[in-house]
Amino acid sequence: HRVLSWYYANLESACASDLVNVSLKNWDSNSECEGDNIVFSEGFSSLIDPLSLGLDVRVNSPVNKIEYDGNRVKVYNNNGSVFYCDACLVTVPLGVLKANMIDFVPALPDWKLKSINNLGFGNLNKVAIYFEEMFWESDIDWIGRVRSDISDDDKGKYYLFWNYYSTFKEPVLVALVSGNAAESQESRTNSEIIIELLDYLAQMYNLEDRPRIKNFFISRWRNEEYFRGAYSYCAINSSVKDYEKLAKTVSVNNQSKIFFGGEHTSSIYPTTVAGAFGSGLREAQKIHEYFNPQVPVYEENREQVVGSDEVSETENVDEEINSKCKEEKIGSGNNQFQYKYTFQYQSEDRNKKKVPKVRKKMWTKPGKSSTTTTYQYSDYDSPDISETTDPVNKV
């Protein structure tokens, strides 16, 4: 039971929630990030600052209203300033959207609001301590301990320590606090937390006294006004489709107005920095392509019969799916709808299609070619479609 309790705590860390709130069916719908884990020794500013060079970045200017029903988008902040733009990219955390801290005029579509409500926005807290000297193993990345002196509600309290000595060459430990324990930490004082943690470490390493510290930092993500939590998770009655809908652009009169980014819009890598960063690249590409349309190498029309349940959801997603995919309803019958899809691709050569590598759809080519080709894309959804053209002759 003690070992299982530790694994529960670790799982609640990944999901940012007590497991009773998490969808059993969809909790692990995301993909594994490729490559090694990276620690930014100078903090995430070392990633963000170079990207902001040459940009007019306004700080201490919280946005409270976005109007997008006219020719231009108006963005209002708390000091009364108004910014006029052709389109707006919203990357606030899901917790801010859930709290309705931004007034959208007109209101966001029902399909967008439903997905905002469906997904959970959980909590994971940390306690980072800079000690005067090392008293633990320096050659391991993390330290976990199975405990018997703790209740089920507190099983996520200091269940795991990250050892930052290998990165900073300084005696730094970061304790993780997950599940209900993460929520409880929000209301506790710094003194209560630090004294309890030092006593625990002294007992864990058989120290005569509490280890002496130089500095510490305690996170309380739920109480951070402009975050209201740590990251998203698939709550009960939610699915990966909610992540996909949160990434959809909101249009008015067939004009893309409000774009969305953030980890909660990444159906592939949600909850992660990689997902958040990737969503920014995705939206930058979408905005660039919308305002700088390019003539595609080729276009194709294909037809597909789609079940009524899927169509009823697709119809409400967006007036304009994407500049790469245009949808036209051309008929119905027997409780099914027939749609014509026009796809646009750009080609690097005669066989390879240059499109984002995220989601995969398969088309099988009968006749001359029996090859099965995988097209990869990320910024729109589409049913599988039978390919009837030899790919070599497309370009």
Side-chain angles (χ1 to χ4, degrees):
H1 175 77
R2 292 166 53 200
V3 174
L4 186 61
S5 181
W6 187 94
Y7 276 102
Y8 279 161
N10 194 50
L11 191 56
E12 289 177 343
S13 170
C15 296
S17 174
D18 188 289
L19 294 182
V20 299
N21 303 318
V22 178
S23 169
L24 176 62
K25 179 181 179 181
N26 299 309
W27 72 273
D28 194 24
S29 299
N30 58 297
S31 301
E32 189 74 20
C33 292
E34 298 178 1
D36 297 329
N37 290 322
I38 296 175
V39 175
F40 292 89
S41 60
E42 301 298 324
F44 283 119
S45 60
S46 60
L47 176 66
I48 297 172
D49 288 348
L51 297 175
S52 65
L53 293 176
L55 300 179
D56 181 12
V57 179
R58 308 291 178 92
V59 296
N60 300 317
S61 301
V63 171
N64 57 16
K65 184 178 181 180
I66 299 175
E67 291 183 356
Y68 63 100
D69 55 346
N71 290 330
R72 305 198 73 190
V73 179
K74 299 177 183 178
V75 180
Y76 300 79
N77 65 16
N78 285 350
N79 62 21
S81 299
V82 182
F83 299 89
Y84 295 84
C85 50
D86 295 316
C88 177
L89 172 57
V90 179
T91 61
V92 297
L94 179 59
V96 173
L97 295 176
K98 281 180 167 291
N100 296 314
M101 295 178 64
I102 299 176
D103 181 21
F104 289 90
V105 181
L108 293 175
D110 289 343
W111 55 264
K112 178 76 76 172
L113 295 175
K114 182 180 179 181
S115 290
I116 290 173
N117 183 65
N118 283 352
L119 287 176
F121 196 63
N123 201 4
L124 173 70
N125 277 315
K126 300 172 185 176
V127 183
I129 301 182
Y130 184 12
F131 293 92
E132 289 189 357
E133 60 183 11
M134 293 277 296
F135 56 85
W136 64 92
E137 304 89 333
S138 63
D139 57 347
I140 55 178
D141 293 328
W142 54 273
I143 305 164
R145 188 188 187 196
V146 175
R147 302 179 65 175
S148 59
D149 59 340
I150 202 163
S151 67
D152 281 344
D153 279 345
D154 283 339
K155 61 180 174 291
K157 184 186 292 183
Y158 323 135
Y159 82 97
L160 185 70
F161 293 86
W162 289 346
N163 177 20
Y164 274 19
Y165 180 81
S166 60
T167 302
F168 299 103
K169 301 305 177 185
E170 296 285 354
V172 176
L173 285 178
V174 178
L176 271 61
V177 185
S178 67
N180 289 330
E183 301 292 353
S184 300
Q185 178 166 301
E186 302 281 334
S187 59
R188 302 182 69 203
T189 66
N190 288 349
S191 296
E192 290 174 331
I193 294 171
I194 293 300
I195 290 175
E196 179 183 60
L197 182 51
L198 294 181
D199 285 342
Y200 173 56
L201 286 169
Q203 182 267 335
M204 181 175 171
Y205 282 95
N206 296 317
L207 304 179
E208 293 183 0
D209 299 307
R210 293 172 183 159
R212 299 178 64 85
I213 67 175
K214 293 182 178 180
N215 208 343
F216 67 87
F217 178 82
I218 300 173
S219 71
R220 295 179 177 87
W221 286 111
R222 189 69 74 192
N223 285 333
E224 291 284 346
E225 182 179 7
Y226 299 116
F227 291 91
R228 306 211 170 207
Y231 44 83
S232 62
Y233 65 92
C234 262
I236 297 173
N237 297 323
S238 70
S239 73
V240 69
K241 287 187 176 294
D242 290 306
Y243 285 103
E244 293 170 349
K245 289 180 182 179
L246 285 181
K248 296 290 185 181
T249 303
V250 173
S251 302
V252 176
N253 297 325
N254 292 322
Q255 295 182 347
S256 297
K257 292 292 186 179
I258 309 297
F259 297 80
F260 290 85
E263 58 83 16
H264 54 283
T265 71
S266 173
S267 60
I268 308 300
Y269 306 128
T271 78
T272 66
V273 173
F277 185 79
S279 77
L281 299 178
R282 179 196 69 215
E283 296 305 305
Q285 180 181 354
K286 287 167 64 174
I287 293 170
H288 175 76
E289 291 181 354
Y290 180 76
F291 289 101
N292 300 276
Q294 298 179 1
V295 178
V297 174
Y298 70 92
E299 297 185 25
E300 277 192 299
N301 292 333
R302 308 186 178 98
E303 297 180 358
Q304 170 72 12
V305 175
V306 184
S308 57
D309 288 342
E310 184 173 348
V311 170
S312 63
E313 182 178 38
T314 304
E315 284 180 315
N316 296 323
V317 167
D318 205 345
E319 297 176 23
E320 174 192 294
I321 293 183
N322 184 269
S323 60
K324 287 194 182 73
C325 176
K326 296 181 180 179
E327 178 185 68
E328 179 184 355
K329 186 175 179 181
I330 60 175
S332 61
N334 298 323
N335 297 320
Q336 290 187 325
F337 297 94
Q338 190 175 25
Y339 274 67
K340 179 170 69 178
Y341 289 85
T342 301
F343 292 80
Q344 302 175 358
Y345 301 99
Q346 291 198 346
S347 175
E348 293 177 333
D349 58 38
R350 294 172 63 87
N351 295 308
K352 296 180 180 179
K353 307 300 171 243
K354 185 179 181 181
V355 286
K357 182 183 179 182
V358 178
R359 193 171 296 286
K360 300 181 178 180
K361 296 291 182 182
M362 308 291 290
W363 292 280
T364 301
K365 306 164 184 54
K368 292 183 178 179
S369 172
S370 60
T371 306
T372 297
T373 299
T374 300
Y375 294 100
Q376 302 171 325
Y377 53 87
S378 63
D379 43 10
Y380 61 86
D381 296 321
S382 168
D384 293 343
I385 293 172
S386 294
E387 178 72 76
T388 59
T389 305
D390 188 338
V392 177
N393 297 323
K394 291 178 185 175
V395 179

